[in-house]
Amino acid sequence: MHLVAVGGSDAGISAALRAREVDLAAEVTVVAADAYPNFSICGIPYYVSGEVPRWQNLAHRTRADLEAAGLSLRLDTTARRIDVAARKLLVTGPDGADDVISYDQLVIGTGALPVRPPIDGLGELGPRDGVHLLHSMGDTFTLMHTLEETAPASAVIVGAGYIGLEMADALATRGLLVTQIEQLPEVLPTVDPELGALVHAELTRREVKVLTGTTVRAVSKAPAGRDGRLEVTAVTAAGEPVTCAADVVLVVVGVRPDTELAVSAGADLGPRGAIAVDRMMRTGLPHVFAAGDCVATYHRLLGDTYLPLGTTAHKQGRVAGENAFGGHREFAGSLGTQVVKIFGQAAARTGLREHEAKAAGFDPLTVASEADDHKAYYPGSHRIAMRFTGDRQTGRLLGIQLFGSKDAEIAKRVDIAATAIFHSMTVDGLSDLDLSYTPPLGSPWDAIQIGAQDWIRVGTATERSC
Amino acid sequence: MHLVAVGGSDAGISAALRAREVDLAAEVTVVAADAYPNFSICGIPYYVSGEVPRWQNLAHRTRADLEAAGLSLRLDTTARRIDVAARKLLVTGPDGADDVISYDQLVIGTGALPVRPPIDGLGELGPRDGVHLLHSMGDTFTLMHTLEETAPASAVIVGAGYIGLEMADALATRGLLVTQIEQLPEVLPTVDPELGALVHAELTRREVKVLTGTTVRAVSKAPAGRDGRLEVTAVTAAGEPVTCAADVVLVVVGVRPDTELAVSAGADLGPRGAIAVDRMMRTGLPHVFAAGDCVATYHRLLGDTYLPLGTTAHKQGRVAGENAFGGHREFAGSLGTQVVKIFGQAAARTGLREHEAKAAGFDPLTVASEADDHKAYYPGSHRIAMRFTGDRQTGRLLGIQLFGSKDAEIAKRVDIAATAIFHSMTVDGLSDLDLSYTPPLGSPWDAIQIGAQDWIRVGTATERSC
C-alpha cells in the first residue's frame, strides 16, 4: 500500500503520519512544492518579530523526524496532474524533470493561496520594491531579506485580519512605524465590532496607526525626496482620499483554496470554490482524499463552508490518513474556534456570531458582559470582555467571543465553550459544568459561567418585556 | 414567602441570592454564625501570605452588596434547632438571647468543620501557644495575630492537602521556615503520587522541608533554650521517631460535615456522615433543603459521595434557592474538578483516578504523558505533565490530572476535560474537539489532545500485546 500526500503543510503531513501510525508497513510519500515540510506557518509573525530567533525553530518536526517516522519526502517537487484511473501522479522535481509516482491512495493537501486584491501597482511592484505578500516560508525569507537589507523605518499593512494583526504586532516589535489599513469598518472583522474596537484600542496604544473603513487603491514608488520608498493611496468610506508613505507594504487580505490539481482531475467544488469532500474527506474521485485549506469544511452548526484553519487541517489530514488505510473516521466538524494575540491582548471566538446564526436559521440573542479571569483580590487579575450568542427559542449556546489580556486564559476559556457547543449545550447548562477554582487562577463561577448567567438574565428580561 | 438560609458562606449566600433572582418579592434571611458573610474562605492563604493586603478584600460581596440584593442578614447568630412541623428556626443572637424565625422554606448551609487529628497536646495547646487550626475568618484573625505579634521564624504544617500546601506557600512567602508533614506517602494525595512528587519537588525548591509518610504524634511546648516555642514529635512509616522545632504549628488535615442542626431535626445522613439530599437538594424533611460542605454530593461518575468544594457549594446553593421558590432544577453533579497553586506551579484534576475508577466498576487504564502549553519555539513555553485515565472497554474518558507552571493554563485545560467528561466523551473523542490555536497560546493539537492521543496509542499497544 502506497499513500501519496500532496502538500508538505498541516494536512499533508498529518495524513502521512496518521497513515504510518495506522499501518506501520505503509509506504508513505509526501510531495511538497517547497523545501520546508511541516513548518508552522502560523509562527511566521514571531520569526519576523525576532521573538523566534531562527527560522528552523518553526519546524513542527525536522526533516529527520519525518523520515524517522517513515515518510519519504519529495521536496521542491510540484504535483502537476493526477491520472485518477491509473492512480498516478505526475510531478516536476527540483531538477525540472517530470516524474510519475504511482499510488494506492492519494491525499490532496495543496492548501491555499494568498488573495491579491485589486490594487493598482501590485502587479508591477514586488519584494525588490518593498511590496510583499506573506504566506509561505519562501515569502518569509523574501520579507526578512527586505527587513534586514533595507532597514525600513515604516510599513503599511493592508488587511487587519488575524495575519494582518499579528504582522502589525511583529513589525512594531521590530521597531517599524506601522500603519494598518482595513477596508471594513473595524479591525478583526471575524469578531463583533464591539470587540474589534478593543483590539483597535490596543493597536493604537502600541502606536500602530489604524485606518478602518479605508480601501487601498494603489501602491507606487514614492517620488524622490519623500519619506518612505513607497506611497499607498487609499479612499475612506466617505470617499476622502488618503495617502500613506512607507518603506514596506505588506498585503495580507486572506486566502483562497488552491484547487488547480484537484479541479484538473475532475474533483467537484463546494463553497468558495474549495474542493468538495464528504466527512470521511473523500473527494468523490476514487482513491483521492483531500484535506486542509484547499477543501470545503464541514461546520457543526453551518454545514459545508470555507474556513481555512491550521487546527482543522491537522484534524482533516489525520482523518484522511486513517481512512486511506481502511479507517471509517469522520471529521467531526469545525466550530471556527480561533484565537489571536495582539501585543498584550488576545481575542478569541468559537461558534457563531449573531448575523451568522440568523443566516443559519437560528433566533439568536447576543449579550455582552464582563468578568474577572480570577478573583480580583488576588494580584494580577484582568477583566475579560465577553459576548455570548444563544438561541432564544431553544436556549442553545451558539457562540462566544472573548477579549482580554493574553494572560487571562482567553484561549482555553473559548475552548471550554467550544467543547460545550460541540455537545449542543444550552447557555444555561454552562452553569452546571464542574470547573476548577482557586483564587489565583479562577473564580467559583468561571468567567464563562458568569457570561452565561448574564445571557440568561437578559434573555429572561427580554421575554418578560414582550 | 420567606426563605431562611442557615450559613453565610457559599451555599447559604448562593441560595439566598438565587431566591431573590427567581422571585424579586421573596423575603430572604441569612443566618450566619459569624460576622463575615460571603467571604472567600479559599482566599485566606493569600491574605496570610500578604498578597491580599486587607482581609476585607476577601469578601465576594460586601454586607452592603448583600443587603442591596435584598438579603436580610442575621450575623453572629447561631442556628440552634429546627422545628420542622412548625417551620420555625430557633437561633441565638449576638446578645446571647434566643429568638425564633419563621420560614416557608429553609436551606441548611452549615458547611464543614476542621478535623482534629489524634495528636497529643492538641487539646491543651491553642493559639496563644502558637497552635492553630484554620477554617474560618475567626481562625484567620487568630493566626494573623500570632504571626504579627510573635513574629515566628518557623512553622510546622500538619497536612499536605490543598490548604496545607497553600499555607506552606503562604508562610514561606511571609519568610517563615516551613516544615510540612504528611502522613501519606506523598504530598497532595488527591492526585497520583507521580504528580504529587512534582509538587513535592516544587516545595523543596522553595525551601519548604517536606516529611512524607510521617505521622504527627504530639505537640508540646519546647523546653526553654531550644529553637522554637513548640516541639512536634512524629514517627515515620518505618517507625523512626522525628522531632521538629517550630514557633507555630498549623493543623490542616481536612474537614468533616457540620450536620448537628440537620441531625437534630431528623435529617438522614449519607456518605461520610454528610446530610443526604436528592439532586434537587431536598433533605427529605418537608421544606428543608441543604447544600454545600455539609451535604453528601452527587458525583456524575460515582453517585453520592462526600466532596466539599466551594464551586459545588455555589452550584448546590443556587439549585436549592431556585427550587425553594418552585423551581425544578437538579444539581448536575460534581466531577471533583480542583486546582491548587503551589508557588509557581499548579496541579489540577477532574474525574476519577485509576483506583477510584476501579472501585466504581470501570476497567481503567492510566497513561502519563507530557506536552507544551504552547509552541515551544515561542518564548515562555512550559511543559505540562499529564495523566489520563480512561476505560479500556468503552474508551470513555474518566479523568485527567495535570501539573505544570501556574502560567500554563492548567486550570482551564482541566476544565475542557471536565466539560468533555460531563458529556461522557471518549478519550479518542477529545481529538475531535475544535480548540483554539495561536503559537503564543497553544498548539494545533492542544496539550490535552496530545495526552488523549498518547492514551490511545498505549491502549492500542496494550490490546495488541494481549
Side-chain angles (χ1 to χ4, degrees):
Chain A
M1 277 287 285
H2 184 204
L3 176 89
V4 174
V6 179
S9 196
D10 299 338
I13 296 291
S14 294
L17 290 172
R18 185 60 179 159
R20 287 283 305 170
E21 223 174 39
V22 170
D23 183 354
L24 253 175
E27 191 190 344
V28 175
T29 302
V30 175
V31 175
D34 65 17
Y36 312 102
N38 208 202
F39 265 65
S40 177
I41 296 303
C42 301
I44 290 172
Y46 314 103
Y47 170 56
V48 174
S49 72
E51 291 160 287
V52 176
R54 297 169 66 248
W55 62 265
Q56 291 87 344
N57 297 139
L58 293 183
H60 285 304
R61 292 172 196 78
T62 64
R63 198 169 156 166
D65 292 338
L66 295 170
E67 286 170 346
L71 274 47
S72 300
L73 303 175
R74 304 270 305 244
L75 305 184
D76 289 319
T77 298
T78 305
R80 295 284 173 207
R81 207 167 51 76
I82 305 165
D83 183 339
V84 175
R87 298 204 217 173
K88 286 181 195 309
L89 179 72
L90 177 72
V91 301
T92 305
D95 53 0
D98 286 351
D99 194 5
V100 171
I101 306 173
S102 294
Y103 64 80
D104 294 299
Q105 305 286 353
L106 186 75
V107 177
I108 299 176
T110 41
L113 295 166
V115 167
R116 272 180 179 271
I119 296 174
D120 286 348
L122 210 57
E124 295 76 46
L125 298 172
R128 258 171 307 176
D129 310 297
V131 177
H132 291 265
L133 277 76
L134 186 62
H135 186 67
S136 64
M137 288 305 293
D139 298 337
T140 306
F141 298 133
T142 310
L143 175 62
M144 288 302 277
H145 182 83
T146 296
L147 294 174
E148 286 166 357
E149 300 301 312
T150 71
S154 60
V156 161
I157 298 177
V158 183
Y162 287 88
I163 314 293
L165 293 171
E166 288 168 349
M167 288 307 299
D169 180 334
L171 294 180
T173 299
R174 276 190 82 91
L176 279 75
L177 210 64
V178 176
T179 302
Q180 184 139 39
I181 307 183
E182 169 61 46
Q183 187 166 12
L184 291 167
E186 192 45 276
V187 301
L188 194 56
T190 46
V191 301
D192 287 349
E194 290 84 349
L195 295 192
L198 301 175
V199 174
H200 191 139
E202 174 71 358
L203 291 166
T204 305
R205 192 158 44 236
R206 302 300 182 128
E207 292 174 3
V208 172
K209 189 174 166 195
V210 182
L211 304 175
T212 49
T214 302
T215 305
V216 174
R217 296 288 193 213
V219 181
S220 56
K221 288 193 188 180
R226 294 277 180 87
D227 281 353
R229 298 162 68 200
L230 295 160
E231 204 164 70
V232 175
T233 315
V235 60
T236 67
E240 300 287 327
V242 184
T243 305
C244 305
D247 293 323
V248 169
V249 171
L250 184 64
V251 179
V252 276
V253 296
V255 296
R256 59 183 176 81
D258 184 351
T259 60
E260 201 183 318
L261 182 71
V263 165
S264 72
D268 290 331
L269 298 183
R272 295 267 302 276
I275 303 168
V277 289
D278 65 11
R279 289 180 59 192
M280 289 179 69
M281 307 316 296
R282 297 178 297 201
T283 59
L285 301 173
H287 309 289
V288 180
F289 297 78
D293 291 0
C294 59
V295 308
T297 285
Y298 170 68
H299 186 292
R300 290 178 73 85
L301 296 171
L302 296 176
D304 283 346
T305 183
Y306 184 63
L307 195 43
L309 287 167
T311 45
T312 301
H314 274 87
K315 288 185 182 68
Q316 292 180 335
R318 192 167 185 261
V319 168
E322 185 166 331
N323 292 342
F325 281 76
H328 295 279
R329 192 162 186 128
E330 289 201 330
F331 172 60
S334 171
L335 289 169
T337 313
Q338 298 165 65
V339 62
V340 59
K341 180 188 89 67
I342 312 103
F343 296 101
Q345 306 288 317
R349 64 167 288 189
T350 186
L352 306 182
R353 290 163 59 201
E354 183 146 325
H355 67 282
E356 296 162 340
K358 207 169 280 174
F362 293 101
D363 179 14
L365 168 71
T366 299
V367 172
S369 56
E370 277 199 7
D372 297 314
D373 63 338
H374 64 249
K375 288 302 296 180
Y377 60 69
Y378 189 84
S381 84
H382 303 281
R383 292 296 277 177
I384 302 174
M386 306 186 282
R387 296 181 67 80
F388 276 65
T389 303
D391 185 78
R392 283 177 220 257
Q393 306 300 320
T394 60
R396 186 173 171 191
L397 177 64
L398 298 173
I400 81 167
Q401 303 166 62
L402 302 180
F403 175 87
S405 161
K406 69 179 173 55
D407 300 321
E409 297 99 1
I410 296 290
K412 297 303 126 198
R413 284 192 160 97
V414 139
D415 290 349
I416 300 168
T419 306
I421 297 172
F422 186 96
H423 292 286
S424 308
M425 283 193 95
T426 61
V427 180
D428 194 36
L430 289 184
S431 290
D432 288 335
L433 292 174
D434 183 19
L435 307 180
S436 60
Y437 166 52
T438 182
L441 300 172
S443 300
W445 296 107
D446 184 73
I448 68 160
Q449 294 177 313
I450 290 169
Q453 290 167 16
D454 285 343
W455 188 92
I456 297 286
R457 227 166 267 133
V458 174
T460 311
T462 311
E463 274 168 44
R464 277 185 188 153
S465 72
C466 288
Chain B
M1 276 288 283
H2 184 205
L3 176 90
V4 174
V6 180
S9 196
D10 299 338
I13 296 290
S14 294
L17 290 172
R18 185 60 179 161
R20 287 283 303 170
E21 224 174 38
V22 169
D23 183 355
L24 255 176
E27 191 189 346
V28 175
T29 303
V30 175
V31 175
D34 65 16
Y36 312 101
N38 208 201
F39 266 65
S40 176
I41 296 304
C42 300
I44 291 172
Y46 313 102
Y47 169 56
V48 174
S49 71
E51 291 159 287
V52 176
R54 296 168 66 245
W55 62 265
Q56 289 89 345
N57 297 139
L58 292 183
H60 285 303
R61 292 172 196 77
T62 64
R63 199 169 156 167
D65 292 338
L66 295 170
E67 286 170 346
L71 274 49
S72 299
L73 303 176
R74 304 269 307 242
L75 306 183
D76 290 318
T77 298
T78 305
R80 295 284 172 206
R81 206 168 51 76
I82 305 165
D83 183 339
V84 175
R87 297 204 219 171
K88 286 182 194 307
L89 179 71
L90 177 71
V91 301
T92 305
D95 53 1
D98 285 352
D99 194 5
V100 171
I101 307 173
S102 294
Y103 64 79
D104 294 298
Q105 305 286 352
L106 186 74
V107 177
I108 299 175
T110 41
L113 295 166
V115 168
R116 273 180 178 270
I119 296 174
D120 286 348
L122 209 57
E124 295 76 47
L125 298 172
R128 258 170 308 178
D129 310 297
V131 177
H132 292 265
L133 276 76
L134 186 62
H135 186 67
S136 64
M137 287 305 294
D139 298 336
T140 306
F141 298 134
T142 311
L143 175 62
M144 288 303 277
H145 182 85
T146 296
L147 295 174
E148 286 165 357
E149 300 301 312
T150 71
S154 60
V156 162
I157 298 177
V158 183
Y162 287 88
I163 313 293
L165 293 171
E166 287 168 349
M167 287 307 299
D169 180 335
L171 293 180
T173 299
R174 277 190 80 92
L176 278 75
L177 210 64
V178 176
T179 301
Q180 184 138 39
I181 307 183
E182 169 61 46
Q183 187 167 11
L184 291 168
E186 191 47 274
V187 301
L188 194 56
T190 46
V191 301
D192 287 349
E194 291 84 349
L195 295 193
L198 301 175
V199 174
H200 191 139
E202 174 72 357
L203 291 166
T204 305
R205 192 159 42 235
R206 302 299 182 129
E207 294 176 0
V208 173
K209 189 175 167 193
V210 182
L211 305 176
T212 49
T214 302
T215 305
V216 173
R217 296 288 194 215
V219 182
S220 56
K221 288 193 189 182
R226 294 278 179 88
D227 281 351
R229 298 161 67 199
L230 296 161
E231 204 164 70
V232 175
T233 315
V235 59
T236 68
E240 299 289 325
V242 184
T243 305
C244 306
D247 293 321
V248 169
V249 171
L250 185 64
V251 179
V252 275
V253 296
V255 296
R256 60 183 176 82
D258 183 351
T259 60
E260 202 182 318
L261 182 71
V263 164
S264 72
D268 290 332
L269 298 183
R272 294 268 302 277
I275 303 168
V277 288
D278 65 10
R279 289 179 59 192
M280 289 179 69
M281 307 316 296
R282 296 179 298 201
T283 59
L285 300 174
H287 309 288
V288 181
F289 297 79
D293 291 0
C294 59
V295 307
T297 285
Y298 170 69
H299 187 293
R300 290 178 73 85
L301 295 171
L302 296 176
D304 283 346
T305 183
Y306 183 62
L307 194 43
L309 287 168
T311 45
T312 301
H314 273 87
K315 288 185 182 69
Q316 291 180 335
R318 192 168 185 262
V319 168
E322 185 166 330
N323 292 342
F325 280 77
H328 296 279
R329 192 163 187 127
E330 289 201 329
F331 171 61
S334 171
L335 289 169
T337 313
Q338 299 164 65
V339 62
V340 59
K341 180 188 88 66
I342 312 102
F343 297 100
Q345 306 288 316
R349 65 168 287 191
T350 186
L352 306 182
R353 291 163 58 201
E354 184 146 326
H355 66 282
E356 296 162 339
K358 207 169 281 174
F362 293 101
D363 179 14
L365 169 71
T366 299
V367 173
S369 56
E370 276 199 8
D372 298 313
D373 63 338
H374 64 248
K375 289 301 299 179
Y377 60 69
Y378 189 85
S381 84
H382 304 281
R383 292 296 277 176
I384 301 174
M386 306 186 282
R387 296 181 67 80
F388 276 65
T389 302
D391 185 78
R392 283 177 220 258
Q393 307 298 321
T394 61
R396 186 173 171 189
L397 177 65
L398 298 173
I400 82 167
Q401 303 166 63
L402 302 181
F403 175 87
S405 161
K406 71 178 173 53
D407 300 322
E409 297 100 0
I410 295 291
K412 297 301 126 198
R413 284 194 160 96
V414 140
D415 290 349
I416 300 168
T419 307
I421 296 172
F422 187 96
H423 292 287
S424 307
M425 281 193 96
T426 61
V427 180
D428 194 36
L430 289 184
S431 290
D432 288 335
L433 293 173
D434 183 19
L435 306 179
S436 61
Y437 165 52
T438 183
L441 300 171
S443 300
W445 295 107
D446 185 73
I448 69 161
Q449 294 178 313
I450 290 170
Q453 290 167 16
D454 285 344
W455 187 92
I456 297 287
R457 226 166 268 133
V458 173
T460 311
T462 311
E463 274 168 44
R464 277 185 189 152
S465 71
C466 288

